Amino acid sequence: MRPQKITEELLTERMLEILRSRGYDGSSLTELAIAGDLKKASLYHRYPGGKQNLVQSVLDHYTSLLQERVFKVLKSKKKKPKKRLSMAMNNIVDLYQDGSVNCLHRALSMESGKDLFGDQIRQNCLDWMEAFESLGKDLGIKKKQTKQLAKDSLIKIQGALILSNIIGDAAPFKEVVEEIRSSYLDK
């Protein structure tokens, strides 16, 4: 058996980069193979289910990152709520590379990607809001207010990523991150 030319982690990161920018329908297997420095046959060997299997693998990786670096951090009882907020927001900044990349959810929620991956994307959004609600509760914010803050956090992050990408400036993303921090700490 030949040694792999590229590690799974590096391949997944490269595929994530392509999929964030082009979505499911806009990404070809040829383009994904080139980004991974592989031949199409090697992609089929790693992902026997083809493009859908490859994208599902990347989405699963992305979901794991969100779970570990954002949702679990916000819900953990091992640290004080303010510290959890700070850690989660720093991880969000890191996951979205200071606002310079698109969200994979947005990219995959268009065209046929929505049909194929919509349930998982929807669940990730619900998990996001649940995690932020949990934090709000631990900060002593009223239930109705914490539900709204949680929903707003998702809307603001997604909107800021879109705007930052369109104008080629990460300032809107950075402003929203600070807005979210303040909205939880000022209550």
Side-chain angles (χ1 to χ4, degrees), residues 96-155:
Y96 295 115
Q97 300 174 19
D98 291 321
S100 66
V101 296
N102 290 321
C103 176
L104 182 63
H105 292 141
R106 183 195 71 75
L108 293 180
S109 65
M110 293 183 261
E111 300 173 1
S112 62
K114 183 177 180 184
D115 295 332
L116 296 170
F117 310 107
D119 289 341
Q120 186 171 355
I121 293 167
R122 188 176 311 102
Q123 187 59 55
N124 285 345
C125 291
L126 293 171
D127 289 347
W128 175 292
M129 291 185 291
E130 179 188 332
F132 272 94
E133 282 180 45
S134 176
L135 175 76
K137 179 182 171 192
D138 291 348
L139 285 166
I141 301 171
K142 293 178 183 169
K143 186 174 182 171
K144 184 177 179 181
Q145 199 172 16
T146 199
K147 277 188 157 316
Q148 188 61 51
L149 285 172
K151 186 168 54 172
D152 288 350
S153 71
L154 183 57
I155 292 167

Side-chain angles (χ1 to χ4, degrees), residues 43-72:
L43 275 185
Y44 278 111
H45 178 73
R46 287 183 187 218
Y47 305 100
K51 184 176 169 183
Q52 184 176 346
N53 181 225
L54 180 152
V55 174
Q56 184 64 61
S57 176
V58 172
L59 180 57
D60 290 345
H61 170 74
Y62 188 73
T63 296
S64 293
L65 289 174
L66 286 170
Q67 287 287 343
E68 291 299 317
R69 302 199 61 213
V70 181
F71 309 156
K72 285 182 181 178

Side-chain angles (χ1 to χ4, degrees), residues 27-40:
S27 303
S28 70
L29 268 178
T30 300
E31 181 179 33
L32 292 164
I34 290 169
D37 197 25
L38 298 170
K39 295 186 184 312
K40 274 172 72 170

Side-chain angles (χ1 to χ4, degrees), residues 74-96:
L74 289 170
K75 292 162 99 176
S76 171
K77 304 297 182 194
K78 293 180 182 177
K79 296 193 184 318
K80 293 185 180 196
K82 289 180 181 181
K83 178 67 176 170
R84 295 184 341 236
L85 174 64
S86 178
M87 290 171 60
M89 295 310 294
N90 289 342
N91 289 342
I92 288 168
V93 167
D94 185 49
L95 285 168
Y96 295 115

